[in-house]
């Protein structure tokens, strides 16, 4: 698509760009699922998609000048670097929910720099060798990062002054679709077990009940969003006054096992 079309012709260069784009995407997908297999003993659909994307991004600056073997190498390298960047994000805790920097940013930088080592002999600019061309690529990457960072800072300041950058905690848990537009972006099934655990967890914090069994954080976040959506959540915590209402909701939802467990965690009367 965009790589082959960028040549604005229909010739050898177009075919070369199209070929290496497909090859890099395939190599990226293969590398990513191999990493997942080693780390988690299984490959995921999201991993395959992430690997494909990493391969497509890394080859974009290099599509016109590298051979298929170089595309394979770039695809494998990009997946490894991007996978590591996502692990680093999880450790540092910075906000990149769609891994835009972790995949697009890292793979784009890698492709712009590493293409130097895979350029076809006939495509190296006259008077340049690998070292001098790498310096040119590095300068281009640095200029791009500086430009993007500068414009982003200006836009962030403008948006913050005009609208604000973030919703409140409750609004974020409910989701922007619900909070700002009164709509639902995704029709996901409510995790009633996590919902019951969430309420019981808050009760346990107040010392009124034992702590519930451990529930993964992502399930608790989803349960919190469900409470927000129904208006049963006030100031981030389910108040005791809403306990009967939430228990009734669980019972009406035809999940007697979950509702029964929730009832066993209720606050003793008196």
């Amino acid at each position: 698509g965009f790589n082959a079309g960028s040549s604005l012709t229909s010739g050898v260069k177009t075919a070369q760009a199209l070929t290496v784009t497909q090859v890099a995407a395939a190599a990226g997908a293969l590398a990513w699922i191999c990493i997942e297999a080693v780390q988690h003993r299984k490959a995921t659909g999201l991993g395959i998609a992430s690997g494909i994307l990493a391969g497509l991004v890394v080859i974009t600056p290099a599509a016109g000048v590298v051979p298929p073997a170089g595309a394979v190498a770039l695809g494998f390298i990009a997946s490894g670097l991007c996978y590591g960047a996502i692990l680093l994000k999880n450790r540092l805790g910075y906000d990149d929910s769609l891994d835009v920097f972790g995949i697009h940013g890292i793979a784009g930088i890698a492709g712009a720099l590493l293409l130097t080592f895979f350029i076809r002999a006939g495509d190296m600019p006259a008077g340049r060798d690998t070292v001098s061309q790498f310096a040119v690529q590095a300068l281009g990457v640095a200029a791009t990062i500086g430009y993007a960072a500068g414009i982003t800072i200006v836009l962030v300041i403008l948006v913050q002054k005009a609208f604000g950058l973030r919703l409140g905690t409750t609004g974020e848990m409910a989701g922007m679709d619900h909070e700002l537009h009164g709509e639902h972006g995704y029709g996901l099934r409510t995790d009633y077990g996590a919902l019951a655990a969430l309420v019981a967890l808050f009760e346990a914090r107040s010392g009124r009940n034992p702590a519930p069994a451990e529930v993964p954080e992502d399930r608790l976040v989803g349960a919190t969003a469900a409470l927000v959506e129904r208006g049963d959540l006030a100031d981030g915590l389910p108040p005791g006054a809403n306990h009967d209402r939430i228990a009734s909701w669980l019972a009406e939802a035809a999940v007697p096992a979950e509702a029964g467990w929730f009832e066993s965690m209720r606050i003793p009367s008196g």
Side-chain angles (χ1 to χ4, degrees):
F2 53 87
N3 285 341
S6 296
S7 65
L8 300 180
T9 63
S10 181
V12 174
K13 278 290 185 182
T14 305
Q16 289 173 336
L18 179 62
T19 299
V20 296
T21 298
Q22 301 295 323
V23 169
L30 178 60
W32 199 291
I33 62 175
C34 286
I35 294 171
E36 285 188 329
V38 171
Q39 281 243 311
H40 306 295
R41 303 298 180 189
K42 61 183 177 182
T44 65
L46 179 60
I48 293 174
S50 299
I52 290 172
L53 187 57
L56 290 174
V57 173
V58 76
I59 199 61
T60 295
V65 295
V66 301
V72 172
L74 288 174
F76 272 89
I77 293 170
S79 280
L81 292 175
C82 293
Y83 193 92
I86 293 173
L87 293 180
L88 183 62
K89 178 203 76 170
N90 294 336
R91 175 169 295 186
L92 297 179
Y94 66 85
D95 188 2
D96 187 14
S97 57
L98 297 179
D99 293 316
V100 175
F101 178 75
I103 294 182
H104 279 84
I106 295 298
I109 292 171
L113 293 175
L114 298 181
L115 68 84
T116 309
F117 302 99
F118 302 102
I119 294 179
R120 298 185 195 90
D123 287 315
M124 181 69 76
R128 295 255 176 83
D129 57 14
T130 300
V131 174
S132 61
Q133 184 60 34
F134 183 84
V136 171
Q137 298 297 124
L139 179 62
V141 168
T144 302
I145 292 174
Y147 172 79
I151 296 298
T152 298
I153 291 171
V154 172
L155 292 176
V156 164
I157 294 173
L158 291 176
V159 171
Q160 173 64 27
K161 297 293 185 183
F163 310 105
L165 283 176
R166 296 187 65 170
L167 298 175
T169 301
T170 302
E172 285 188 347
M173 289 180 174
M176 295 182 71
D177 290 326
H178 173 75
E179 182 73 6
L180 299 180
H181 307 294
E183 298 175 336
H184 305 285
Y186 306 94
L188 302 179
R189 176 184 176 276
T190 301
D191 189 340
Y192 296 103
L195 182 63
L198 177 69
V199 178
L201 178 62
F202 286 131
E203 292 178 359
R205 286 181 180 174
S206 66
R208 291 178 290 189
N209 268 320
E214 183 177 349
V215 177
E217 182 180 354
D218 58 338
R219 291 182 63 192
L220 293 179
V221 171
T224 303
L227 282 174
V228 171
E229 183 178 325
R230 287 186 55 87
D232 288 319
L233 194 64
D235 299 326
L237 298 175
N242 289 333
H243 188 286
D244 290 336
R245 189 150 48 123
I246 298 169
S248 175
W249 174 31
L250 290 172
E252 292 170 359
V255 281
E258 302 289 14
W261 180 52
F262 180 78
E263 284 299 313
S264 71
M265 303 300 295
R266 59 179 291 115
I267 303 169
S269 59

